[in-house]
Amino acid sequence: MKRYALGVDLGGTNIAVGLVDEDHHIVDHLSRKTNLPRPEEEVEQSIAEICRELVARNDLSFEQDIRWIGIGTPGSVNPKTGIIEFNANFGYHDWHLTADMEKLLPGKVYIENDANAAAYGEYIAGGAKGSKNAVVITLGTGIGSGIIIDGRIFSGFNSAGAEIGHTVIEKGGRPCMCGRKGCWEKYASARALEEDTRAALQEHKDNIMWQYIGGDLRKVNAKTAFDGMRAGDALAKELVDRFIEYVACGLTNVINVFQPEIICIGGGVSREGETLLAPLRKLVDEEDYARNSEHRTKIVVAQLHNDAGIIGAASLGSQNNE
Ligand SMILES: [Zn+2]
């Protein structure tokens, strides 16, 4: 008999729930607005309602068909205590999410930081599948990261670790919301490339990239500079080259610390594929401490994209049951 798990991607904007089978396929999913700000009890009720609806409309029962419920959400999430100590999006402190959800739904509930859950998804069913040690890096608004060591999510003794985006690569550099200056994500996230592209365009009013954005700087995204580079524009190439140098710098740090079998790169900009990866590998090859070793870290693109969070959350029980 086929069994399923529910994977919940609980974000500040949406609560997305997937019914996931044992082959890690999302067979059905349902999403509602998180509607913040509101009290945590209401958010919990919403999660429970969506889960119940998903189970009912697939003619399943929690008792017989659902192995567990996994929830990935931002913030300082402690999977051992089931408590979210702090979550900036929601504004809740010491949120006893696991205990509360287990009162509302039949079955075991697991929680995890959303970036870690997404990394676990890539590890279980995506780009890092088949490895034992992997690091998943998501280049987005910031840099999300998750570290898997010997098949388990590693986030430090207090579950606040694996924040690779907040390691400094330029001392005294750009100020970061974490309080430090020069964090990796201020240079190598998709947003950093966007902001650098905008700043460059303001100084070069006749550049070809203005055509891609219809003269509207708000339409700049991480692809703008890549498109300009493909059209042979020198400024765009300079932006992309510098961006890739910054990504490579942080990746080499990651490799020198962890020597993972695989580093999986996700986020919209990873859709550039080899345009991004080939020069990245070349730069990492020049500086990686183990560059003369026979066994080298593979750098690949993530495969699950937006589904990684749901699939990873739905797989949390298998990690804990090992
Ligand atoms: Zn930072």
Side-chain angles (χ1 to χ4, degrees):
M1 192 185 67
K2 218 166 182 181
R3 299 187 77 205
Y4 304 85
L6 290 164
V8 183
D9 189 353
L10 172 60
T13 311
N14 290 305
I15 306 169
V17 185
L19 179 69
V20 180
D21 69 14
E22 282 170 292
D23 299 321
H24 312 295
H25 296 126
I26 299 175
V27 296
D28 194 8
H29 64 93
L30 197 56
S31 167
R32 300 251 166 81
K33 293 270 171 249
T34 316
N35 281 332
L36 295 175
R38 56 176 173 154
E40 56 237 64
E41 294 79 15
E42 287 184 22
V43 173
E44 291 165 352
Q45 287 290 352
S46 269
I47 300 168
E49 272 165 31
I50 302 169
C51 288
R52 280 192 217 105
E53 192 174 330
L54 209 46
V55 168
R57 81 178 185 189
N58 284 276
D59 295 321
L60 301 172
S61 82
F62 275 94
E63 289 76 8
Q64 285 179 16
D65 306 301
I66 303 299
R67 296 190 294 167
W68 56 71
I69 300 116
I71 305 174
T73 192
S76 177
V77 180
N78 189 327
K80 294 180 200 91
T81 58
I83 296 170
I84 297 168
E85 282 152 36
F86 179 70
N87 181 323
N89 295 335
F90 293 78
Y92 312 153
H93 289 267
D94 283 320
W95 186 14
H96 291 238
L97 182 61
T98 298
D100 292 353
M101 290 313 300
E102 284 181 349
K103 277 179 210 142
L104 293 172
L105 291 171
K108 184 115 187 70
V109 172
Y110 299 97
I111 64 170
E112 185 51 83
N113 168 273
D114 59 346
N116 290 343
Y120 195 61
E122 286 293 337
Y123 167 79
I124 284 281
K129 193 178 169 184
S131 64
K132 255 183 103 179
N133 300 293
V135 176
V136 179
I137 300 289
T138 305
L139 307 175
T141 313
I143 293 185
S145 50
I147 300 164
I148 314 293
I149 298 177
D150 290 331
R152 299 184 74 83
I153 296 167
F154 174 84
S155 57
F157 85 100
N158 57 356
S159 309
E163 291 291 346
I164 301 170
H166 298 287
T167 55
V168 168
I169 59 161
E170 288 273 14
K171 190 172 180 314
R174 298 174 178 173
C176 181
M177 58 85 183
C178 78
R180 303 186 81 191
K181 284 181 179 165
C183 286
W184 188 30
E185 73 170 35
K186 297 307 292 181
Y187 299 85
S189 60
R191 175 173 281 180
L193 176 58
E194 270 174 42
E195 286 175 0
D196 288 349
T197 304
R198 254 183 228 118
L201 284 177
Q202 272 168 328
E203 289 187 11
H204 296 85
K205 300 282 187 195
D206 53 353
N207 186 274
I208 186 172
M209 287 182 276
W210 281 102
Q211 295 172 22
Y212 309 156
I213 55 169
D216 182 355
L217 279 179
R218 286 171 304 181
K219 290 188 183 152
V220 168
N221 60 31
K223 197 167 166 282
T224 310
F226 278 92
D227 286 343
M229 181 181 73
R230 274 185 281 270
D233 179 66
L235 177 67
K237 184 173 176 349
E238 205 179 294
L239 286 163
V240 170
D241 284 351
R242 195 176 53 180
F243 169 72
I244 293 177
E245 280 169 24
Y246 279 123
V247 177
C249 174
L251 283 191
T252 309
N253 291 342
V254 168
I255 292 171
N256 283 351
V257 174
F258 294 103
Q259 289 290 321
E261 285 168 73
I262 293 185
I263 290 184
C264 199
I265 314 266
V269 69
S270 71
R271 291 180 202 271
E272 296 291 340
E274 287 303 304
T275 311
L276 172 71
L277 292 198
L280 251 186
R281 290 192 195 103
K282 189 169 170 289
L283 290 169
V284 169
D285 273 351
E286 288 167 9
E287 294 193 5
D288 171 12
Y289 184 76
R291 60 188 170 276
N292 297 317
S293 160
E294 193 188 326
H295 304 290
R296 303 288 305 283
T297 298
K298 281 195 204 98
I299 302 175
V300 302
V301 288
Q303 292 173 1
L304 303 181
H305 301 292
N306 294 335
D307 292 340
I310 284 178
I311 293 172
S315 306
L316 289 173
S318 61
Q319 180 196 230
N320 289 282
N321 287 341
E322 260 171 22

